[in-house]
Each structure stands twice: as structure tokens, then as C-alpha cells.
Amino acid sequence: MAMIYSLYIINKAGGLVYQKDFSNQLEKLSSNEYLVLAGTFHGVHAITSKISPIHNSSGIEMLEAENFKLYCNQTLTVILS
């Protein structure tokens, strides 16, 4: 069973809106490090959505490393006028 270690909510501009760690095993980062992490992931997501060979790709969906998997889930936003 997969465990969620952290949750990051990033807005459309790449700003960190919310961050929560769910595990005591994680090394605590500084506020600036959390902002850099969110901004970097947002940049990678934006670039991959533009260079994908699939038309209208949403960009990166999962980044897998040796010790973790990072998933990107997007919400649909409805703008009412």
C-alpha cells in the first residue's frame, strides 16, 4: 500500500498555496526550500506540457525516483461570470 508523505498545492502561477507533511521520517525543509520545490515542479510540468508529442497533453503526470514517486493531479477550475 502506498503512503502519502507530503501534499503540495500549487496555483496556476507556480506559487505554493499549501504544504503538509504526513510523515515524521521526512527531513524538514525551510520555507524557502518548499517554495523552490513547488516552483521547480511547476516549471517542469509547464515545459513537459509544451514539448509532449501528444496534442493537448497535460504534461508530467508522475516522476519516479529511487526512493519516491511524485504525482501531479490537476483540478478543473470553473470560472463563472
Side-chain angles (χ1 to χ4, degrees):
M1 177 180 235
M3 180 178 172
I4 297 176
Y5 292 100
S6 289
L7 174 67
Y8 299 87
I9 298 176
I10 304 168
N11 65 18
K12 188 175 181 179
L16 183 62
V17 176
Y18 180 79
Q19 181 278 324
K20 178 155 177 79
D21 291 329
F22 297 104
S23 173
N24 294 330
Q25 300 171 357
L26 296 175
E27 179 181 338
K28 296 297 178 195
L29 302 176
S30 70
S31 299
N32 191 50
E33 290 171 322
Y34 284 121
L35 293 171
V36 170
L37 178 62
T40 301
F41 188 72
H42 178 269
V44 170
H45 178 267
I47 291 168
T48 57
S49 67
K50 298 295 183 197
I51 65 172
S52 174
I54 301 169
H55 184 64
N56 290 331
S57 170
S58 63
I60 192 170
E61 294 178 359
M62 181 185 66
L63 175 70
E64 186 171 358
E66 186 176 319
N67 298 322
F68 68 92
K69 290 181 182 177
L70 182 65
Y71 292 91
C72 179
N73 297 306
Q74 297 184 58
T75 61
L76 298 175
T77 303
V78 178
I79 299 174
L80 301 175
S81 54

